[in-house]
Amino acid sequence: LDQSSDVVLELFDIRGVKVKTLLNEYHQAGSHQFILDGSALASGVYFYNMTANGISKTRKLVLMK
């Protein structure tokens, strides 16, 4: 993060339906790490979206068990 802000990290399935809000809290500027426990999720393609400082980025995640 370039500057401190509220961070929202959400997980969506392949259809675009929100599966879970993974993170919704304030973070200081700098590097951060989030570890996803996918044990309760089915194998497949997911998308995660992170919003911070008014900027939103979406990336693909493939979960294989």
Side-chain angles (χ1 to χ4, degrees):
L1 296 172
D2 292 340
Q3 53 186 318
S4 301
S5 72
D6 289 320
V7 177
V8 178
L9 182 61
E10 298 174 310
L11 183 68
F12 297 88
D13 67 14
I14 191 71
R15 298 170 297 164
V17 176
K18 183 164 63 168
V19 174
K20 186 178 202 180
T21 299
L22 303 170
L23 186 69
N24 186 5
E25 54 192 43
Y26 184 82
H27 280 277
Q28 298 293 330
S31 295
H32 301 275
Q33 185 176 21
F34 180 85
I35 298 173
L36 173 66
D37 177 10
S39 61
L41 300 172
S43 295
V45 177
Y46 293 88
F47 294 94
Y48 60 94
N49 181 47
M50 185 180 93
T51 304
N53 296 322
I55 299 170
S56 182
K57 300 245 179 176
T58 302
R59 299 288 185 263
K60 182 170 74 171
L61 173 129
V62 178
L63 178 64
M64 296 191 307
K65 293 185 176 184

